[in-house]
Amino acid sequence: MTNASIRMPDGLEQLGLLLDRVAERQRQDFGQLDSEAKPDGSLITACDRWSDAALVEGLAALYPGEGVLSEEGSQKVPSTEAYWVVDPLDGTTNFAAGIPYWAISLARFEHGVPVLAVLDVPPLRQRIVAIRGGGAWRKDKKLLAPSARNQVAGCASLCSRSIGVLQKLPNQRFPGKVRLLGVASLNLVSVAMGQTISALEATPKIWDLAAAWLVLQELNCPVNWLVRDPAQLQPGEDLAQANFPVLAARDPQTLATFQPWADVLVKGA
């Protein structure tokens, strides 16, 4: 993950050790914990809470003076010039159901946009890192833009709340094989990784998309914010109920192909 032309952010090695500790705890807890419903209907486990506290505490030690917005903690945009957006366990439903696919999502923001992104996938022991202007890596191997590779499978990632668009354009064939991964951050980043050709998310929160957003940008994947651009966040704004519907694709042509389904998602047929 090193490149002599890129200045790596201070504390990145220590950040990796922090993620290692949290990921190992999650692997140990996987399949062992009961879940409960939060007011919005999503699930939470004791491991979500522990992971959030460990990450917030660890970031405060590594980057003193930088605020943190996290799913299970403060959900207000910090007023500090640099801050972190954290999803300690994205894919709790999978985690609680014994499905081995979830992620830890971290992104460091400066001037309102992510400049460092880390997506750790504990069950696969894989880590994706992106640095603004520097590219993206998986397991220390630099990634190529998906538009530079041939993709014949044509899979498209939908979330459970966006799958209804399949019935809203009955006279048009959906232009892809549907996949539901159950993890918003990995749904989106699957496009950047070349696993899918597009992804449509109906109700992602800022912590769901923060890290994937930068990975997509660094791998030249176009993104269409369907209602609101998260680059317009305001310090002190409460994002607990804020959704950022989004369509991502491998290239502009694919984005245009899937745009009609994105349109009916937010406007109705």
Side-chain angles (χ1 to χ4, degrees):
M1 185 166 55
T2 58
N3 186 316
S5 65
I6 300 170
R7 180 183 178 276
M8 303 300 283
D10 295 337
L12 193 56
E13 289 186 6
Q14 292 85 351
L15 180 62
L17 293 175
L18 172 63
L19 281 164
D20 287 343
R21 181 165 67 93
V22 175
E24 181 58 29
R25 170 65 177 268
Q26 292 183 358
R27 285 190 290 266
Q28 291 176 4
D29 285 350
F30 175 62
Q32 306 298 318
L33 302 176
D34 292 333
S35 62
E36 59 187 88
K38 294 194 288 188
D40 65 358
S42 61
L43 298 183
I44 188 170
T45 69
C47 191
D48 290 76
R49 296 189 176 97
W50 180 89
S51 299
D52 191 89
L55 290 168
V56 171
E57 180 181 339
L59 290 170
L62 290 173
Y63 304 93
E66 297 187 358
V68 180
L69 184 162
S70 71
E71 180 177 11
E72 311 305 342
S74 173
Q75 298 176 347
K76 292 184 178 180
V77 179
S79 59
T80 53
E81 182 175 340
Y83 61 87
W84 294 81
V85 177
V86 176
D87 191 335
L89 202 165
D90 187 18
T92 299
T93 299
N94 283 356
F95 181 83
I99 300 170
Y101 199 55
W102 73 88
I104 303 167
S105 175
L106 299 179
R108 185 175 187 264
F109 279 55
E110 293 180 2
H111 307 295
V113 296
V115 297
L116 169 66
V118 185
L119 271 168
D120 192 280
V121 191
L124 299 182
R125 298 180 185 271
Q126 291 189 4
R127 186 168 295 163
I128 302 162
V129 177
I131 298 173
R132 181 165 293 278
W137 298 261
R138 177 174 60 178
K139 299 184 70 172
D140 298 331
K141 183 178 180 180
K142 195 161 188 180
L143 295 168
L144 298 176
S147 58
R149 289 171 281 159
N150 186 36
Q151 290 173 288
V152 296
C155 294
S157 177
L158 299 180
C159 68
S160 59
R161 294 181 179 89
S162 66
I163 196 168
V165 301
L166 298 176
Q167 286 76 45
K168 291 186 176 181
L169 294 174
N171 298 321
Q172 297 187 49
R173 181 182 177 185
F174 189 72
K177 299 178 180 180
V178 176
R179 295 294 182 270
L180 278 76
L181 303 178
V183 187
S185 59
L186 298 182
N187 281 351
L188 292 169
V189 88
S190 69
V191 177
M193 303 296 291
Q195 299 161 337
T196 63
I197 59 174
S198 72
L200 182 60
E201 281 284 328
T203 58
K205 305 295 187 184
I206 189 64
W207 46 84
D208 294 319
L209 59 86
W213 177 11
L214 182 58
V215 178
L216 287 162
Q217 287 187 324
E218 287 302 307
L219 293 176
N220 301 320
C221 298
V223 173
N224 185 1
W225 304 107
L226 305 175
V227 174
R228 182 186 176 192
D229 187 341
Q232 306 302 319
L233 301 180
Q234 298 298 315
E237 184 178 1
D238 190 340
L239 298 181
Q241 304 303 320
N243 297 320
F244 297 88
V246 61
L247 172 67
R250 71 189 303 265
D251 54 39
Q253 180 180 358
T254 305
L255 190 81
T257 298
F258 283 87
Q259 189 61 48
W261 282 269
D263 291 340
V264 297
L265 175 69
V266 295
K267 299 176 183 177

